[in-house]
Amino acid sequence: MVRVISQETYDEVVNENMEQFSMTPKEAIEDAVKQFEAQGVDLSNIIKDLILNDDNELIGSYLNQINIAIQDKNYDNIHHTLDKLRNELDKDIAYRVYAGKKGAYDSLIQLMQSCPNNGTLIKAALKAITSLMTGNPDLLNQEGVALQIQILDNYPDIPTLQCLLRWIRECCIKHELNRQSIFNADIFNKLKKILVRDDASGPELRDACAVIRALVLDDDIRHEYGKAHEHATVIAKGALNVLTGLMPRYKKDRGVVGDLMITLAALIVRNEFCQEVEEAGGLKFVIDVMIDYPDSEKLNWQALKLLKALAGNDNVKSHIITSGCGPIIVSAISRLRDSECVVTAGLACISALTLRCSSNAGVFYDCGAPLVIIDAMKAYPKSVNVLKQAAWAIRNMSVRNKAECSEFVAHGIEDVLASALRLHGPKIESDVKAALRDLGLKVELKERWTGKGVSMSNGTV
């Protein structure tokens, strides 16, 4: 279990080093850091050199100016103070934690509540509170959620709306309860209003999509069971047709197209959703993107993520292959092999498309996938993600295609898998051994459980 301490405890040790042991400030800090790290203390939330600068006084001073402005209802030049505060908060997570303990969250919320019609101030405050809560989402409360919805209902301009959406997104990252609170405030219907507006700009759509993806994350280790699937289901039922309809409209805007694809990939969590996206022209659009932008690393990665998600439906999986995606996927992996993200996504795509489908596997054999997969493993010997996805792809291509799988063996896959196993051990042991087994190669499998030889009775007479 990770140990943590407060800023005050850390500062006391630094001061003690200087007073009792006559250390210089720099020596005192180095010694304190060594002491705590030796004890297994996590210092990521601590400003280690606070004693050497006046950053704490700056943060306190800026917050004091904000509080006085709220009290006196005089907001002249406060947006400059907010910009200066944001610069301090952007330095490090420790500064944000420190500011949070000094009441920065409450001050910023009160400031926005006190002058809802001051667009310049609201925008500056939204930027500051986003910086404050980056990696520090625990500060959000119901008052903050209510304010988010209030501003969303009355957004005065696109830049302010974008600042708000970025704050909302930051509140959702690695915080399950925040996601649920924001979702329960009916935010989806408000986001949908942005998506369906005829005059919605590309930047607005991208930020709205980013919030949607954040609402369906499952990244908070403090909660074993989240509501990502429930959120995705509700949003998908209300927005899949809207999102797919936007794709041709913004086909010349790479940023919007990419965000739409990756958002759809996050939402199609059920069989019928995959079918709906395909029937709305989603599959054809993805293919067109990969053909039209062959050298775009990001767009190809996003397209491959969506293809993998669509493969969750067996009928769509078959259509993906009959539409000619096999050679396109293999070509993308080979062409963009310098991108680990594209290679990983491409291998995951092959794995999903060949799962329990020997005919699809045959197509990948025909378009040279074995050699491309092996080359990818050789190019990224230290990447567990690449090696795992490759092992799964090999297994799915081999288990029902015993005749063709000799192609992997002929290209030296046994040595590549053995090398991966030696390098990464338990991290990929089960995946590599399963691939070796389905290739018909020698592998030592562990017997996980054996009976004790005791006879059993069903208790009947």
Side-chain angles (χ1 to χ4, degrees):
M1 187 175 180
V2 177
R3 299 178 60 195
V4 294
I5 58 170
S6 66
Q7 183 71 49
E8 291 75 15
T9 300
Y10 174 84
D11 291 341
E12 284 176 11
V13 172
V14 173
N15 285 321
E16 183 180 280
N17 283 344
M18 289 191 297
E19 292 170 6
Q20 294 188 14
F21 302 104
S22 301
M23 293 182 182
T24 65
K26 188 175 181 180
E27 290 171 340
I29 290 168
E30 290 177 355
D31 184 76
V33 169
K34 287 179 182 177
Q35 282 186 53
F36 286 119
E37 288 181 345
Q39 296 169 33
V41 175
D42 181 6
L43 296 177
S44 60
N45 290 346
I46 299 297
I47 304 175
K48 300 178 182 66
D49 58 351
L50 198 58
I51 198 166
L52 298 179
N53 55 54
D54 296 325
D55 290 339
N56 59 330
E57 293 181 11
L58 282 175
I59 290 173
S61 172
Y62 297 147
L63 292 176
N64 189 47
Q65 291 174 45
I66 292 169
N67 292 332
I68 291 173
I70 296 169
Q71 184 178 341
D72 296 344
K73 299 189 183 305
N74 180 0
Y75 307 112
D76 293 343
N77 297 317
I78 282 297
H79 63 280
H80 292 307
T81 302
L82 290 166
D83 290 341
K84 292 175 184 176
L85 174 63
R86 180 161 57 92
N87 289 335
E88 293 301 312
L89 298 174
D90 286 341
K91 287 182 177 179
D92 191 76
I93 181 65
Y95 290 81
R96 301 193 278 277
V97 171
Y98 178 83
K101 290 178 180 177
K102 293 296 181 181
Y105 175 83
D106 290 335
S107 295
L108 292 170
I109 293 291
Q110 289 171 26
L111 179 64
M112 287 187 277
Q113 289 172 331
S114 65
C115 53
N117 299 318
N118 189 329
T120 302
L121 201 60
I122 292 290
K123 189 163 62 175
L126 286 170
K127 289 180 179 179
I129 203 166
T130 302
S131 290
L132 173 69
M133 297 183 66
T134 298
N136 186 34
D138 286 357
L139 297 171
L140 186 70
N141 56 17
Q142 286 303 316
E143 189 178 12
V145 175
L147 179 63
Q148 291 174 345
I149 300 303
Q150 178 188 332
I151 299 174
L152 194 53
D153 281 335
N154 304 286
Y155 57 88
D157 57 77
I158 292 173
T160 301
L161 173 63
Q162 287 184 264
C163 291
L164 172 67
L165 293 174
R166 288 166 189 172
W167 174 34
I168 294 173
R169 175 186 175 275
E170 206 59 56
C171 293
C172 293
I173 295 174
K174 294 187 178 179
H175 205 296
E176 177 63 27
L177 296 182
N178 284 358
R179 282 193 287 268
Q180 293 183 24
S181 295
I182 293 170
F183 189 84
N184 292 338
D186 196 32
I187 192 171
F188 167 59
N189 285 319
K190 301 180 189 306
L191 293 172
K192 189 174 179 180
K193 289 179 181 178
I194 299 171
L195 299 177
V196 299
R197 270 193 13 242
D198 290 335
D199 62 342
S201 68
E204 280 179 280
L205 291 174
R206 294 189 68 182
D207 284 321
C209 284
V211 173
I212 289 174
R213 293 196 301 275
L215 288 168
V216 299
L217 287 173
D218 186 17
D219 59 355
D220 189 345
I221 60 174
R222 295 171 295 184
H223 294 268
E224 188 174 356
Y225 301 105
K227 291 194 173 181
H229 189 276
E230 290 91 330
H231 291 174
T233 299
V234 171
I235 295 172
K237 286 180 178 178
L240 285 187
N241 60 333
V242 177
L243 292 169
T244 49
L246 288 170
M247 294 171 89
R249 181 172 148 195
Y250 289 89
K251 62 183 179 181
K252 295 188 182 298
D253 189 324
R254 291 190 183 197
V256 175
V257 166
D259 270 22
L260 289 171
M261 288 193 296
I262 204 71
T263 303
L264 285 169
L267 293 177
I268 49 178
V269 294
R270 282 170 41 172
N271 201 53
E272 64 268 29
F273 297 158
C274 302
Q275 192 79 46
E276 185 178 339
V277 170
E278 194 220 354
E279 290 172 354
L283 173 57
K284 182 181 182 305
F285 188 85
V286 173
I287 295 171
D288 289 344
V289 167
M290 295 184 75
I291 292 173
D292 293 342
Y293 301 100
D295 299 320
S296 172
E297 175 187 334
K298 189 170 184 180
L299 277 179
N300 277 270
W301 170 74
Q302 291 163 325
L304 289 166
K305 295 283 282 187
L306 180 51
L307 281 178
K308 178 182 181 292
L310 287 169
N313 178 297
D314 285 343
N315 289 330
V316 178
K317 182 194 295 187
S318 176
H319 294 161
I320 290 171
I321 294 299
T322 56
S323 298
C325 275
I328 295 173
I329 293 167
V330 173
S331 175
I333 298 171
S334 178
R335 188 176 59 255
L336 300 169
R337 58 184 173 273
D338 290 338
S339 169
E340 185 177 340
C341 290
V342 171
V343 170
T344 305
L347 294 175
C349 219
I350 294 175
S351 174
L353 289 167
T354 55
L355 179 64
R356 298 189 302 275
C357 192
S358 60
S359 60
N360 285 3
V363 170
F364 280 106
Y365 278 110
D366 291 341
C367 58
L371 187 56
V372 170
I373 292 172
I374 293 170
D375 285 345
M377 295 180 76
K378 289 178 179 177
Y380 296 96
K382 295 181 180 178
S383 172
V384 172
N385 283 336
V386 168
L387 296 174
K388 271 193 174 187
Q389 296 297 342
W392 293 345
I394 292 166
R395 180 183 179 185
N396 292 345
M397 287 179 64
S398 303
V399 68
R400 287 177 169 81
N401 297 68
K402 294 303 181 185
E404 292 107 318
C405 74
S406 59
E407 191 173 337
F408 279 110
V409 180
H411 288 304
I413 188 61
E414 186 170 14
D415 289 340
V416 176
L417 287 171
S419 176
L421 187 57
R422 283 195 301 272
L423 186 60
H424 298 286
K427 291 180 182 178
I428 60 169
E429 181 179 9
S430 59
D431 309 300
V432 168
K433 287 188 174 182
L436 288 167
R437 178 198 63 207
D438 291 332
L439 284 166
L441 297 171
K442 183 179 179 182
V443 58
E444 293 182 8
L445 298 173
K446 291 182 180 178
E447 197 169 23
R448 299 293 181 184
W449 180 87
T450 56
K452 296 182 179 180
V454 178
S455 62
M456 300 178 70
S457 170
N458 62 11
T460 58
V461 178

